[in-house]
Amino acid sequence: MNQIFFGSLPYILITLAVAGTIYRFTMSKYTWSSQSSQFLENKTLFFGSFPWHYGIITVLFFHILGFFIPGAILGWNAAPTRLYILELSGLAFGFLALFGLLALIYRRLTNARVKALTTGWDVLVLIVLLIQVVTGLGNAIFYRWGSNWYAASAVPWMWSVITLSPNVDFVANLPLNTKIHIFNALLFFGLIPFSRLAHFVVWNPYTYLWRPYQVVRWYRRAPRTENIVQYK
Ligand code: HEM
């Protein structure tokens, strides 16, 4: 089972992600945005989108840092105070992301106009993201100290997959919650080319986070005036 989920399926999902993304980029470049619905509803979007993006981008930044320099993370964690700082910051940004994601889900479920524009892919993406964040927080809360065993066993597994010599022993004994977290991340990558997640791999949408407000208005034709009788 471990061999299938962590030794074989990663290649299928990564190939799907890379090939699908290249295909989508070359065939339909203009569908990269995350189809703004800001003009339909703005208040909850603001309360959801900002905490979600700031939270998840920071969490992912630390995941990526650990991926490239696991030794430095272990070195940093050697002093307990520094370990607590790292773990508590990860937890805080994880909760920020969860809060934002729940607000975005609430908005999709309750606003009739946004709901009308929501596709099956959007729902699937939200479910996958919710599982990812909840199991991530589960790792951080129940299986201490995540940043240490991330660097010592999850990262070597990822490198073994990338270097085409998958070694599932690194992850075989991790708790089920963590296995779901890892496999769900692969599903997330596989979903990128098919969903609004495509905006995730291009830089432009990140400017939403610091650019000033933009109000998108419906474009309406000017009222017809030729039949209006004018009285003097
Ligand atoms: C789509 C990709 C991913 C997302 C969105 C994501 C999200 C999260 C979130 C929100 C947290 C909780 C916040 C925190 O404590 O840092 C977390 C924690 C964690 N994630 Fe992920 N994750 C992803 C991929 C992965 C992968 C591929 C692995 C391992 C191979 C992984 C391993 C961990 C571990 C070990 C923790 C606990 C960290 C700690 O306690 O300090 N994550 N993740």
Side-chain angles (χ1 to χ4, degrees), residues 150-162:
Y150 173 73
S153 71
V155 169
W157 167 75
M158 284 196 275
W159 278 110
S160 79
V161 171
I162 288 171

Side-chain angles (χ1 to χ4, degrees), residues 99-139:
F99 170 81
L101 185 59
L102 290 176
L104 291 173
I105 292 174
Y106 171 81
R107 172 177 179 266
R108 291 238 161 231
L109 293 178
T110 54
N111 186 291
R113 297 201 296 171
V114 178
K115 208 171 164 184
L117 278 190
T118 301
T119 66
W121 286 112
D122 295 335
V123 176
L124 189 61
V125 164
L126 288 173
I127 293 172
V128 167
L129 288 175
L130 189 60
I131 294 175
Q132 195 61 23
V133 174
V134 170
T135 52
L137 286 168
N139 285 341

Side-chain angles (χ1 to χ4, degrees), residues 17-205:
V18 175
T21 303
I22 294 171
Y23 178 81
R24 182 156 173 197
F25 189 67
T26 44
M27 299 309 284
S28 49
K29 237 183 230 172
Y30 299 107
T31 62
W32 281 97
S33 85
S34 175
Q35 268 187 346
S36 175
S37 55
Q38 189 179 11
F39 62 109
L40 296 177
E41 194 284 331
N42 200 8
K43 207 164 146 221
T44 329
L45 177 64
F46 177 82
F47 280 110
S49 187
F50 275 69
W52 160 250
H53 282 99
Y54 277 112
I56 206 66
I57 287 172
T58 312
V59 165
L60 286 179
F61 172 77
F62 282 108
H63 279 60
I64 293 169
L65 204 65
F67 175 71
F68 284 108
I69 44 169
I73 297 286
L74 292 173
W76 169 273
N77 284 348
T81 320
R82 293 200 303 245
L83 168 74
Y84 301 149
I85 291 173
L86 182 63
E87 287 284 337
L88 284 176
S89 326
L91 206 56
F93 282 104
F95 273 112
L96 190 67
L98 179 65
F99 170 81
L101 185 59
L102 290 176
L104 291 173
I105 292 174
Y106 171 81
R107 172 177 179 266
R108 291 238 161 231
L109 293 178
T110 54
N111 186 291
R113 297 201 296 171
V114 178
K115 208 171 164 184
L117 278 190
T118 301
T119 66
W121 286 112
D122 295 335
V123 176
L124 189 61
V125 164
L126 288 173
I127 293 172
V128 167
L129 288 175
L130 189 60
I131 294 175
Q132 195 61 23
V133 174
V134 170
T135 52
L137 286 168
N139 285 341
I141 295 167
F142 300 113
Y143 305 105
R144 285 182 237 159
W145 299 102
S147 50
N148 272 341
W149 53 259
Y150 173 73
S153 71
V155 169
W157 167 75
M158 284 196 275
W159 278 110
S160 79
V161 171
I162 288 171
T163 52
L164 304 182
S165 48
N167 184 349
V168 298
D169 292 346
F170 284 122
V171 288
N173 293 324
L174 290 178
L176 181 64
N177 176 80
T178 309
K179 286 185 176 170
I180 296 175
H181 187 72
I182 297 177
F183 188 71
N184 195 62
L186 292 164
L187 286 182
F188 167 89
F189 292 124
L191 270 177
I192 289 176
F194 304 100
S195 63
R196 64 170 59 224
L197 286 174
H199 80 279
F200 171 78
V201 287
V202 283
W203 173 251
N204 194 40

